[in-house]
Amino acid sequence: MTLPVIGLDAIARVATPDVVFGAVRDALIAHAEGRTSVPAPMVLEFPDHAGDCHVKAGYVDGSPYFVVKIASTFASVNNGLMLVVDATTGAPAAVLADEGMLTAWRTAAAGALITDAMTPAGVDEVAVLGTGEQARLQVLWLRELRPLRKVQVWGRRPEAVESLCAAFVADGLDAQPDALGGAACVIATTAAREPLPAELFRSAIHVTGVGTDMPGKGELPVEVFAGALVATDDHAQCLDHGDFGNAVRAGVVTDDVDLAVGAVLRDGLDRTRRSVADLTGIGAADAAVAAAVLEQLVR
Protein backbone atom coordinates (compact mmCIF):
# COMPACT_ATOMS: atom_id res chain seq x y z
CA MET A 1 0.00 0.00 0.00
CA THR A 2 1.29 3.46 -0.89
CA LEU A 3 1.59 5.81 2.07
CA PRO A 4 -0.64 8.86 1.48
CA VAL A 5 1.24 12.16 1.31
CA ILE A 6 -1.11 15.08 1.94
CA GLY A 7 -0.02 18.54 0.88
CA LEU A 8 -0.51 21.95 2.44
CA ASP A 9 -3.48 22.98 0.29
CA ALA A 10 -5.56 20.03 1.46
CA ILE A 11 -4.39 20.47 5.06
CA ALA A 12 -5.24 24.19 5.08
CA ARG A 13 -8.80 23.49 3.94
CA VAL A 14 -9.60 21.52 7.08
CA ALA A 15 -7.19 22.99 9.66
CA THR A 16 -9.57 25.78 10.64
CA PRO A 17 -8.99 27.82 13.81
CA ASP A 18 -11.79 25.91 15.54
CA VAL A 19 -10.13 22.56 14.74
CA VAL A 20 -6.67 23.73 15.78
CA PHE A 21 -7.79 25.55 18.92
CA GLY A 22 -9.82 22.55 20.05
CA ALA A 23 -7.01 20.06 19.44
CA VAL A 24 -4.35 22.21 21.13
CA ARG A 25 -6.50 23.01 24.15
CA ASP A 26 -7.41 19.35 24.67
CA ALA A 27 -3.75 18.31 24.30
CA LEU A 28 -2.49 20.89 26.80
CA ILE A 29 -5.11 19.84 29.35
CA ALA A 30 -4.33 16.16 28.78
CA HIS A 31 -0.64 16.91 29.23
CA ALA A 32 -1.31 18.70 32.52
CA GLU A 33 -3.26 15.67 33.69
CA GLY A 34 -0.54 13.18 32.75
CA ARG A 35 -2.50 11.67 29.87
CA THR A 36 0.17 12.09 27.20
CA SER A 37 3.42 10.51 26.12
CA VAL A 38 5.99 13.14 25.13
CA PRO A 39 9.69 12.23 24.80
CA ALA A 40 12.35 14.91 24.99
CA PRO A 41 12.69 16.87 21.73
CA MET A 42 15.73 16.62 19.48
CA VAL A 43 17.34 19.70 17.96
CA LEU A 44 19.85 19.83 15.11
CA GLU A 45 21.66 23.07 14.32
CA PHE A 46 23.18 24.11 10.97
CA PRO A 47 24.96 27.42 11.65
CA ASP A 48 26.63 27.49 8.23
CA HIS A 49 23.17 27.70 6.69
CA ALA A 50 21.37 29.73 9.37
CA GLY A 51 19.27 26.68 10.09
CA ASP A 52 17.90 24.46 12.80
CA CYS A 53 15.61 21.44 12.83
CA HIS A 54 13.33 20.29 15.65
CA VAL A 55 12.16 16.68 15.90
CA LYS A 56 9.27 16.09 18.28
CA ALA A 57 6.94 13.21 18.95
CA GLY A 58 3.80 12.83 20.99
CA TYR A 59 0.70 10.86 21.81
CA VAL A 60 -2.50 11.77 23.64
CA ASP A 61 -4.14 8.86 25.47
CA GLY A 62 -7.10 7.49 23.54
CA SER A 63 -6.11 9.00 20.20
CA PRO A 64 -6.03 6.68 17.17
CA TYR A 65 -2.66 8.13 16.15
CA PHE A 66 0.72 9.20 17.42
CA VAL A 67 2.96 11.60 15.52
CA VAL A 68 6.62 12.21 14.77
CA LYS A 69 7.25 15.73 13.50
CA ILE A 70 10.14 17.40 11.72
CA ALA A 71 10.08 21.22 11.65
CA SER A 72 12.99 23.25 10.30
CA THR A 73 13.87 26.89 9.79
CA PHE A 74 16.67 27.78 7.38
CA ALA A 75 17.40 31.45 6.65
CA SER A 76 13.99 32.34 8.17
CA VAL A 77 12.16 29.94 5.84
CA ASN A 78 10.05 27.30 7.61
CA ASN A 79 9.49 23.77 6.38
CA GLY A 80 8.61 20.36 7.72
CA LEU A 81 6.26 17.41 7.80
CA MET A 82 4.40 15.17 10.22
CA LEU A 83 4.38 11.39 10.09
CA VAL A 84 1.05 10.16 11.48
CA VAL A 85 1.19 6.57 12.79
CA ASP A 86 -1.63 4.22 13.80
CA ALA A 87 -1.45 3.94 17.58
CA THR A 88 -2.94 0.44 17.61
CA THR A 89 -0.74 -1.24 14.99
CA GLY A 90 2.30 1.03 14.58
CA ALA A 91 1.66 1.25 10.85
CA PRO A 92 2.26 4.64 9.20
CA ALA A 93 -1.09 6.17 8.28
CA ALA A 94 -0.09 9.31 6.36
CA VAL A 95 2.50 12.00 5.85
CA LEU A 96 1.21 15.52 6.35
CA ALA A 97 3.53 17.58 4.15
CA ASP A 98 2.51 20.79 5.87
CA GLU A 99 5.67 22.84 5.10
CA GLY A 100 5.87 23.66 8.80
CA MET A 101 2.50 25.40 8.92
CA LEU A 102 0.83 23.05 11.41
CA THR A 103 3.68 23.79 13.81
CA ALA A 104 3.16 27.51 13.23
CA TRP A 105 -0.59 27.24 13.76
CA ARG A 106 -0.41 25.08 16.88
CA THR A 107 2.15 27.50 18.34
CA ALA A 108 -0.12 30.43 17.57
CA ALA A 109 -3.11 28.61 19.05
CA ALA A 110 -1.27 27.68 22.24
CA GLY A 111 0.01 31.23 22.67
CA ALA A 112 -3.39 32.77 22.02
CA LEU A 113 -5.15 30.39 24.40
CA ILE A 114 -2.86 31.05 27.36
CA THR A 115 -2.53 34.78 26.62
CA ASP A 116 -6.31 35.10 26.64
CA ALA A 117 -6.64 32.96 29.77
CA MET A 118 -4.06 34.93 31.80
CA THR A 119 -4.68 38.51 30.59
CA PRO A 120 -7.44 40.60 32.25
CA ALA A 121 -10.60 40.59 30.15
CA GLY A 122 -10.58 44.35 29.54
CA VAL A 123 -7.12 44.46 27.97
CA ASP A 124 -7.49 45.11 24.24
CA GLU A 125 -4.00 46.38 23.37
CA VAL A 126 -1.00 44.12 22.92
CA ALA A 127 2.66 44.58 22.12
CA VAL A 128 4.30 41.97 19.94
CA LEU A 129 8.07 41.64 20.05
CA GLY A 130 9.55 40.29 16.84
CA THR A 131 8.58 40.70 13.21
CA GLY A 132 8.49 37.17 11.81
CA GLU A 133 5.66 34.84 10.90
CA GLN A 134 4.89 33.93 14.49
CA ALA A 135 4.60 37.58 15.53
CA ARG A 136 1.76 38.06 13.08
CA LEU A 137 0.09 34.73 13.86
CA GLN A 138 0.10 35.26 17.62
CA VAL A 139 -1.86 38.48 17.22
CA LEU A 140 -4.28 37.19 14.58
CA TRP A 141 -5.07 34.04 16.54
CA LEU A 142 -5.49 36.02 19.77
CA ARG A 143 -8.00 38.21 17.93
CA GLU A 144 -10.07 35.06 17.39
CA LEU A 145 -10.51 34.88 21.18
CA ARG A 146 -10.85 38.52 22.27
CA PRO A 147 -11.33 41.98 20.71
CA LEU A 148 -8.07 43.80 19.99
CA ARG A 149 -8.05 47.57 19.62
CA LYS A 150 -4.38 48.24 19.01
CA VAL A 151 -1.11 46.43 18.35
CA GLN A 152 2.34 47.80 19.11
CA VAL A 153 5.20 46.24 17.15
CA TRP A 154 8.84 46.12 18.23
CA GLY A 155 11.74 44.73 16.26
CA ARG A 156 15.42 45.35 15.65
CA ARG A 157 14.97 46.13 11.93
CA PRO A 158 12.82 49.23 11.25
CA GLU A 159 11.87 48.05 7.77
CA ALA A 160 10.56 44.75 9.18
CA VAL A 161 8.57 46.62 11.84
CA GLU A 162 6.98 48.84 9.19
CA SER A 163 6.18 45.82 7.04
CA LEU A 164 4.46 43.97 9.90
CA CYS A 165 2.52 47.08 10.89
CA ALA A 166 1.29 47.37 7.30
CA ALA A 167 0.25 43.71 7.34
CA PHE A 168 -1.71 44.25 10.56
CA VAL A 169 -3.42 47.31 9.11
CA ALA A 170 -4.40 45.22 6.09
CA ASP A 171 -5.85 42.71 8.56
CA GLY A 172 -8.02 45.47 10.03
CA LEU A 173 -5.93 46.26 13.11
CA ASP A 174 -4.60 49.58 14.36
CA ALA A 175 -0.86 48.91 14.44
CA GLN A 176 1.93 51.25 15.47
CA PRO A 177 5.72 50.77 15.53
CA ASP A 178 7.77 50.73 18.72
CA ALA A 179 6.40 48.92 21.76
CA LEU A 180 8.14 51.10 24.33
CA GLY A 181 6.77 49.45 27.43
CA GLY A 182 3.25 50.84 27.20
CA ALA A 183 1.22 47.65 26.70
CA ALA A 184 -0.41 45.61 29.44
CA CYS A 185 -0.05 42.42 27.39
CA VAL A 186 3.29 41.56 25.75
CA ILE A 187 3.90 38.62 23.40
CA ALA A 188 7.54 37.79 22.66
CA THR A 189 8.23 35.82 19.48
CA THR A 190 11.94 36.33 18.81
CA ALA A 191 14.84 33.93 18.40
CA ALA A 192 16.95 36.07 20.75
CA ARG A 193 19.89 34.57 22.56
CA GLU A 194 20.16 37.57 24.89
CA PRO A 195 17.29 39.07 26.90
CA LEU A 196 15.22 41.72 25.16
CA PRO A 197 15.30 45.27 26.58
CA ALA A 198 13.69 45.34 30.02
CA GLU A 199 11.77 48.55 29.27
CA LEU A 200 9.62 46.64 26.78
CA PHE A 201 7.98 44.85 29.71
CA ARG A 202 7.67 47.68 32.25
CA SER A 203 3.87 48.05 31.96
CA ALA A 204 3.09 44.39 31.34
CA ILE A 205 0.41 42.69 33.38
CA HIS A 206 0.88 39.55 31.33
CA VAL A 207 3.79 38.26 29.20
CA THR A 208 3.74 35.27 26.86
CA GLY A 209 7.06 34.00 25.49
CA VAL A 210 7.10 31.59 22.55
CA GLY A 211 10.51 32.17 20.99
CA THR A 212 12.77 30.32 23.44
CA ASP A 213 12.31 26.82 22.07
CA MET A 214 15.82 25.33 22.21
CA PRO A 215 18.99 25.48 24.31
CA GLY A 216 20.94 28.70 23.95
CA LYS A 217 17.95 30.95 23.35
CA GLY A 218 16.53 33.38 25.90
CA GLU A 219 14.31 36.35 25.07
CA LEU A 220 12.60 37.28 28.36
CA PRO A 221 14.57 39.24 30.98
CA VAL A 222 14.63 36.98 34.03
CA GLU A 223 13.27 39.83 36.16
CA VAL A 224 9.83 39.54 34.56
CA PHE A 225 9.36 36.27 36.46
CA ALA A 226 9.89 37.81 39.90
CA GLY A 227 6.66 37.72 41.88
CA ALA A 228 4.61 36.65 38.87
CA LEU A 229 2.24 33.75 38.37
CA VAL A 230 4.14 31.44 36.02
CA ALA A 231 2.66 28.91 33.60
CA THR A 232 4.70 26.46 31.50
CA ASP A 233 3.54 24.14 28.74
CA ASP A 234 5.97 21.43 29.88
CA HIS A 235 7.76 21.78 33.21
CA ALA A 236 10.84 19.75 32.28
CA GLN A 237 11.28 21.35 28.85
CA CYS A 238 10.84 24.88 30.16
CA LEU A 239 13.25 24.18 32.99
CA ASP A 240 15.79 22.71 30.57
CA HIS A 241 15.71 25.24 27.74
CA GLY A 242 12.91 27.75 28.29
CA ASP A 243 12.91 31.26 29.72
CA PHE A 244 11.56 29.80 32.96
CA GLY A 245 14.73 27.74 33.30
CA ASN A 246 16.84 30.83 32.69
CA ALA A 247 15.03 32.58 35.54
CA VAL A 248 15.49 29.59 37.84
CA ARG A 249 19.21 29.41 37.12
CA ALA A 250 19.48 33.15 37.80
CA GLY A 251 17.91 32.63 41.21
CA VAL A 252 14.89 34.82 40.42
CA VAL A 253 12.34 32.04 41.07
CA THR A 254 12.46 28.50 42.36
CA ASP A 255 11.90 25.52 40.09
CA ASP A 256 8.55 24.59 41.68
CA VAL A 257 6.55 27.80 41.23
CA ASP A 258 5.08 27.09 37.81
CA LEU A 259 1.58 25.98 36.95
CA ALA A 260 0.80 23.82 33.94
CA VAL A 261 -0.65 25.76 31.03
CA GLY A 262 -3.26 23.03 30.63
CA ALA A 263 -4.34 23.40 34.26
CA VAL A 264 -4.79 27.15 33.74
CA LEU A 265 -6.90 26.52 30.64
CA ARG A 266 -8.97 23.96 32.53
CA ASP A 267 -9.41 25.77 35.85
CA GLY A 268 -8.71 29.45 35.21
CA LEU A 269 -6.82 31.71 37.63
CA ASP A 270 -6.69 35.17 39.18
CA ARG A 271 -6.14 37.46 36.20
CA THR A 272 -5.46 40.49 38.38
CA ARG A 273 -2.00 39.20 39.29
CA ARG A 274 0.96 39.80 37.03
CA SER A 275 1.69 36.65 35.04
CA VAL A 276 4.12 35.03 32.62
CA ALA A 277 3.59 32.07 30.27
CA ASP A 278 6.60 30.19 28.91
CA LEU A 279 5.88 27.99 25.89
CA THR A 280 8.49 25.66 24.43
CA GLY A 281 6.11 23.59 22.28
CA ILE A 282 5.04 20.04 23.08
CA GLY A 283 4.79 17.00 20.84
CA ALA A 284 1.36 16.18 22.26
CA ALA A 285 -0.02 19.34 20.64
CA ASP A 286 1.53 18.34 17.31
CA ALA A 287 -0.03 14.90 17.67
CA ALA A 288 -3.45 16.26 18.54
CA VAL A 289 -3.52 18.73 15.65
CA ALA A 290 -2.24 16.17 13.13
CA ALA A 291 -4.80 13.60 14.29
CA ALA A 292 -7.61 16.12 14.08
CA VAL A 293 -6.56 17.16 10.58
CA LEU A 294 -6.27 13.58 9.34
CA GLU A 295 -9.64 12.67 10.80
CA GLN A 296 -11.18 15.61 8.92
CA LEU A 297 -9.49 14.53 5.70
CA VAL A 298 -10.61 10.90 5.80
CA ARG A 299 -14.26 11.59 6.62
Side-chain angles (χ1 to χ4, degrees), residues 121-215:
V123 173
D124 61 1
E125 180 176 355
V126 301
V128 62
L129 313 182
T131 55
E133 175 186 61
Q134 198 56 224
R136 184 180 183 190
L137 289 176
Q138 286 289 327
V139 172
L140 295 183
W141 285 64
L142 180 60
R143 188 175 62 171
E144 296 285 325
L145 302 179
R146 66 163 59 204
L148 292 182
R149 177 179 56 86
K150 185 177 180 180
V151 181
Q152 299 178 26
V153 179
W154 178 90
R156 300 192 188 279
R157 296 182 296 117
E159 67 277 11
V161 171
E162 293 293 341
S163 178
L164 183 55
C165 284
F168 281 139
V169 169
D171 290 322
L173 289 163
D174 178 7
Q176 302 292 331
D178 296 328
L180 297 178
C185 177
V186 177
I187 306 168
T189 69
T190 74
R193 291 178 176 265
E194 298 291 338
L196 301 175
E199 59 265 26
L200 296 172
F201 303 89
R202 66 171 180 261
S203 299
I205 298 171
H206 174 74
V207 175
T208 293
V210 302
T212 303
D213 58 357
M214 59 182 282

Side-chain angles (χ1 to χ4, degrees), residues 26-27 30-31 33-37 58-67 85-88 284 287-288 291-292 295:
D26 288 349
H31 193 58
E33 295 174 348
R35 297 186 287 108
T36 63
S37 178
Y59 172 67
V60 179
D61 288 359
S63 172
Y65 305 109
F66 69 88
V67 168
V85 184
D86 189 305
T88 63
E295 287 169 1

Side-chain angles (χ1 to χ4, degrees), residues 282-296:
I282 61 170
D286 295 314
V289 169
V293 166
L294 187 56
E295 287 169 1
Q296 293 286 323

Side-chain angles (χ1 to χ4, degrees), residues 1-288:
M1 182 181 71
T2 302
L3 182 65
V5 177
I6 301 167
L8 180 58
D9 288 346
I11 292 168
R13 284 195 292 271
V14 300
T16 62
D18 283 348
V19 168
V20 178
F21 272 129
V24 171
R25 188 179 192 278
D26 288 349
L28 289 167
I29 292 173
H31 193 58
E33 295 174 348
R35 297 186 287 108
T36 63
S37 178
V38 180
M42 181 173 66
V43 178
L44 303 173
E45 296 188 72
F46 304 89
D48 291 345
H49 304 285
D52 62 62
C53 178
H54 295 232
V55 181
K56 293 185 176 180
Y59 172 67
V60 179
D61 288 359
S63 172
Y65 305 109
F66 69 88
V67 168
V68 179
K69 178 197 76 173
I70 297 172
S72 64
T73 302
F74 280 68
S76 300
V77 177
N78 296 327
N79 214 319
L81 58 83
M82 296 190 180
L83 174 63
V84 186
V85 184
D86 189 305
T88 63
T89 66
V95 172
L96 300 183
D98 68 318
E99 302 176 26
M101 289 309 302
L102 287 177
T103 295
W105 295 337
R106 70 89 160 126
T107 302
L113 284 164
I114 197 60
T115 299
D116 182 56
M118 299 185 82
T119 302
V123 173
D124 61 1
E125 180 176 355
V126 301
V128 62
L129 313 182
T131 55
E133 175 186 61
Q134 198 56 224
R136 184 180 183 190
L137 289 176
Q138 286 289 327
V139 172
L140 295 183
W141 285 64
L142 180 60
R143 188 175 62 171
E144 296 285 325
L145 302 179
R146 66 163 59 204
L148 292 182
R149 177 179 56 86
K150 185 177 180 180
V151 181
Q152 299 178 26
V153 179
W154 178 90
R156 300 192 188 279
R157 296 182 296 117
E159 67 277 11
V161 171
E162 293 293 341
S163 178
L164 183 55
C165 284
F168 281 139
V169 169
D171 290 322
L173 289 163
D174 178 7
Q176 302 292 331
D178 296 328
L180 297 178
C185 177
V186 177
I187 306 168
T189 69
T190 74
R193 291 178 176 265
E194 298 291 338
L196 301 175
E199 59 265 26
L200 296 172
F201 303 89
R202 66 171 180 261
S203 299
I205 298 171
H206 174 74
V207 175
T208 293
V210 302
T212 303
D213 58 357
M214 59 182 282
K217 290 185 180 180
E219 59 180 351
L220 301 184
V222 295
E223 293 79 10
V224 304
F225 287 87
L229 285 170
V230 178
T232 57
D233 57 357
D234 182 280
H235 174 80
Q237 280 186 193
C238 291
L239 195 58
D240 179 69
H241 59 261
D243 282 304
F244 172 60
N246 294 335
V248 170
R249 286 183 286 276
V252 174
V253 292
T254 59
D255 63 4
D256 59 354
V257 301
D258 58 316
L259 306 169
V261 162
V264 174
L265 297 178
R266 182 191 62 205
D267 302 330
L269 48 61
D270 179 5
R271 298 192 195 190
T272 65
R273 282 191 58 185
R274 191 168 57 84
S275 58
V276 181
D278 183 21
L279 306 182
T280 52
I282 61 170
D286 295 314

